[in-house]
Amino acid sequence: MGERKGMEIALAAAEAAALCRPDVVAAYPITPNTHVPEHLANIVSEGKLDAEYICVESEHSALSACMGASGAGARVFTATSSQGLLYMAEIMSIASSMRLPVVMALGNRALSGPLNIWNDHSDIMSQRDTGWISLFASHGQEVIDMIIQAFRIAEDADVLLPINVNLDGFQLTHVVEVMDFPSQSEVDAFLPAYKPFASLHPDHPCSMGTLGLPEIYSEATKAREVAIVNSRKTILKVWAEWEKAFGRRYEPVESYKMEGAQEAIMTMGSMGETAEIAIDALREKGIPVGLLKLKLWRPFPYEDVRKAAKGLKSLLVLDRAVSFGGPGGPVASEVRSSLYGETDRPAITNYIFGLGGRDVAVEDFIKMFEKMRSGDKKRSKDQYEFYGVRGE
Amino acid sequence: MNTLKGHPVGLIENFDLYAPKLVDREEYFTPGHRACQGCGEALAIRLMCKALGKDTVIINATGCMQVISSLYPTTAWELPWIHVAFPNAAAVGSGVEAALKVLRRKGRIPNRDVKAVAIGGDGGTLDIGLQALSGAMERGHNMLYVCFDNEAYMNTGIQRSSATPFGASTTTAPPGVASMGNKTWKKNLPEIMAAHNISYVATACNSYPLDFMNKVKKAREIDGPAYIHCLSVCPTGWRCPSEACIKMGRLAVETGVFPLYEAEQGRYRMTVSMPENLRPIQDYIKHQGRFRHLTPEQVQSFQERTNLEYKKLLNKIEHSKSWAEMSANQG
Ligand SMILES: Cc1ncc(C[n+]2csc(CCOP(=O)(O)OP(=O)(O)O)c2C)c(N)n1
Ligand code: SF4
Ligand SMILES: [Mg+2]
């Protein structure tokens, strides 16, 4: 039997990773994710986890070391944030192309500049197209669960792709929550030992990371795309098994009070928790509004979004990042693509807010919702806006 | 055995006779790769692999050797081999080494010693990969790192690196009315590696196969980090005939431009004996198009600095003691 206890979520992330018995951990400190590698170092130092812990000299080397270890057949784990993720950027795409199932806890933090250690989603969005599976947690329990699920998904013979579990910096990493920790035997039963497809050993030599000419590069790229699209099946299977084993349900798009809703708000990450309170307040006023929480960012769950948006008149999509000079927020952009072919689709409003740690309060969701409803007729429905930003 | 009656038989003169006994006949870096004719790096890698033997994992930085050996779907490697990127062979190697160690401890791979050997060019080692290399050496991984130094970024077309010698012409340090070509002195990476307090540092050259292979064997046996810096002649980039590969390497040594030594536990030792009087560097550089533009004054500065660097090395060889010796003398 597992245990229910209160803990800082970053520490819980480390505990969850340790329950998965990684063979090699390589990570580099960066706020707000530092407590993850620190706590793992403790766990290893106390002899509670038999792993090689590599105190690398940079994030570039952290991911590189994970790649080498994974190539040699080890289960690997790393953690980072923001600038650290950018420092890994060169290696991100190579990890997915080499089909090495690296698991990463990504404590989301704004990209510099200006230098800012607080939360938004600009870090992961900059690495969106590197072929990693991306999950988004909205509270501590999901962080624990998703990290354990992540190893199952990434290492599945049908998947073999790296995966990042996104947890909002500070809003999640530094918050103490009461969470259920599965027991070691429960995790062992859920997560079998990693069986690599190929590994670096003289008994069965192979060459990994070869040169690909134009004759093969397109095929290699398409194979990776097919793999990540197909990973959806495994993700759903793993989530179904998780529900059976632990009683907690996971879906690509989670609904909250969507019964009879004509309007909805869509969030990704920890703001979904605050938004729930706003939805409660709006419902109390008799407004038929619900909440859609996006849990799976890549592969993007197009069909789930279409299903969830069915019958809605309007949808307010909230983004914690901006695609400069582009379509506004990255989440809204995907949602619009999902719904473009639908004849009966909601009007979509996109607000960008909560950047670089700007506080996101319950009232803000209510205000944004009202702002959307009041409908600035001068704007086309496809526009986006920064919410709560001075200097407009 | 077919010996000449009454005459001592020199090893090198009868290399063909002895080589099969001294050198593993197995090819781990196989023919058919795409290196240029007379490539010293490819030759050195072949020798290195023979010295390492089967129980090896190679971690390769991007560069000529990766590109010429791994054109999908072919591979020149009979050893397990991984390439990830240009700057990170030492970091990937750290991960391979850690994995081999922990998987062996946990009984998930056979219980025998498999060595992680990271390799890179001078660019991937002295420049963009220096941070990863320093980290890996400092952390004490049981890993051998071999730098194949052809004194420029050859894979991308002969650009200058910090290993490019004084005066050489490269595509990013070309000589012209306002420039002599490369103005800086070659970075002394073996010395930087020695400053990491690792047990074994050596220089080597593709033109001294037995010396190189002995060093590789010695380094392989070290339970910890070791570093070998192998000068590898690149006829394409040095602008010399491909058949001059071996000769160029020997001249680099005989002129004192690239002496062959090792630092074992802090003790420096010349491994290939040097002539009493070094040959003038002119003997070495006159064969190479990359030095063709140098004026007599510039050649003179090159000569003077070579003499100085050589003396600095001799000084270390004369005065260095091994760490064991020094601790014994403490009391
Ligand atoms: C981050 C990055 N920068 C630049 C390059 C381009 N590049 C590939 S190999 C190379 C030079 C390799 O030089 P060196 O390490 O000396 O090896 P050589 O080809 O000379 O054997 C460069 C600049 C790259 N692949 N990655
Ligand atoms: S360019 Fe030089 S190092 Fe590269 S393959 Fe040709 S000879 Fe060898
Ligand atoms: Mg080079």
Side-chain angles (χ1 to χ4, degrees), chain A residues 21-24 50-52 54-58 60-61 64-75 87 90-91 94 98 100 193-194 199-203 205-213 216, chain B residues 54-57 66-67 70-72 74-75 77-88 91-96 98-103 105-106 108-110 112 114 131-132 135-136 138-139 141:
Chain A
R21 303 184 191 273
D23 301 302
V24 174
D50 183 8
E52 287 296 308
I54 312 179
C55 274
V56 280
E57 80 300 329
S58 73
H60 194 284
S61 287
S64 300
C66 283
M67 301 264 299
S70 183
R75 173 172 289 166
Y87 215 52
E90 191 202 3
I91 312 303
I94 310 176
M98 288 174 72
L100 294 174
Y194 171 43
S199 63
L200 297 165
H201 195 275
D203 289 350
C206 64
S207 294
M208 294 186 180
T210 57
L211 176 74
L213 294 191
I216 196 68
Chain B
K54 173 175 175 279
D55 280 339
T56 306
V57 178
Q66 175 261 329
V67 167
S70 75
L71 206 156
Y72 186 87
T74 68
T75 180
W77 297 92
E78 292 289 345
L79 296 172
W81 177 91
I82 183 170
H83 156 257
V84 175
F86 184 28
N88 64 352
V92 177
S94 304
V96 169
L100 291 172
K101 191 153 118 192
V102 65
L103 295 179
R105 183 165 79 224
K106 292 182 177 180
R108 301 230 303 270
I109 56 173
R112 63 174 205 271
V114 174
Q131 174 180 312
E138 165 275 318
R139 287 190 298 269
H141 293 279

Side-chain angles (χ1 to χ4, degrees), chain A residues 95-342:
Chain A
S96 63
S97 105
M98 288 174 72
R99 307 291 296 273
L100 294 174
V102 178
V103 175
M104 173 195 293
L106 181 58
N108 303 109
R109 154 180 160 180
L111 293 180
S112 297
L115 174 67
N116 175 296
I117 58 169
W118 293 276
N119 169 253
D120 69 30
H121 295 165
S122 50
D123 55 6
I124 180 61
M125 292 308 162
S126 78
Q127 300 303 305
R128 184 188 65 183
D129 296 336
T130 54
W132 286 55
I133 297 172
S134 285
L135 307 180
F136 262 87
S138 45
H139 52 76
Q141 188 65 56
E142 288 185 355
V143 171
I144 295 179
D145 294 358
M146 283 179 172
I147 285 177
I148 301 167
Q149 295 158 3
F151 284 97
R152 257 297 294 276
I153 296 165
E155 294 172 359
D156 191 287
D158 288 339
V159 177
L160 291 175
L161 283 171
I163 183 165
N164 49 56
V165 175
N166 291 265
L167 56 154
D168 283 324
F170 292 106
Q171 270 93 331
L172 293 186
T173 55
H174 285 56
V175 165
V176 175
E177 238 181 69
V178 176
M179 293 162 278
D180 284 318
F181 290 78
S183 69
Q184 186 64 63
S185 57
E186 283 172 327
V187 175
D188 289 346
F190 179 78
L191 178 66
Y194 171 43
K195 283 201 201 69
F197 170 75
S199 63
L200 297 165
H201 195 275
D203 289 350
H204 38 74
C206 64
S207 294
M208 294 186 180
T210 57
L211 176 74
L213 294 191
E215 285 75 14
I216 196 68
Y217 187 87
S218 303
E219 283 70 18
T221 303
K222 185 178 172 194
R224 196 166 14 153
E225 164 69 354
V226 169
I228 193 165
V229 169
N230 283 346
S231 73
R232 176 186 163 85
K233 280 190 224 114
T234 305
I235 295 167
L236 297 183
K237 185 184 82 187
V238 168
W239 279 349
E241 277 180 44
W242 183 268
E243 188 180 0
K244 233 197 246 152
F246 299 101
R248 292 186 288 275
R249 185 176 172 75
Y250 283 83
E251 293 166 291
V253 181
E254 193 185 285
S255 304
Y256 180 76
K257 299 207 169 160
M258 285 297 289
E259 311 79 38
Q262 295 186 352
E263 289 162 300
I265 300 177
M266 181 183 271
T267 62
M268 189 163 78
S270 65
M271 62 170 151
E273 294 297 282
T274 322
E276 281 187 10
I277 305 170
I279 296 290
D280 292 348
L282 290 166
R283 280 276 183 176
E284 241 163 66
K285 285 196 217 160
I287 303 170
V289 58
L291 178 66
L292 298 170
K293 296 200 279 186
L294 197 55
K295 297 278 164 74
L296 179 62
W297 171 236
R298 280 293 184 275
F300 191 81
Y302 292 99
E303 53 247 75
D304 304 77
V305 168
R306 278 195 282 272
K307 221 168 98 196
K310 216 162 207 99
L312 287 177
K313 280 205 192 64
S314 55
L315 177 61
L316 171 59
V317 183
L318 301 178
D319 262 292
R320 268 195 140 134
V322 58
S323 169
F324 292 108
V331 176
S333 170
E334 298 298 6
V335 171
R336 286 194 180 109
S337 309
S338 313
L339 301 177
Y340 184 76
E342 304 296 290

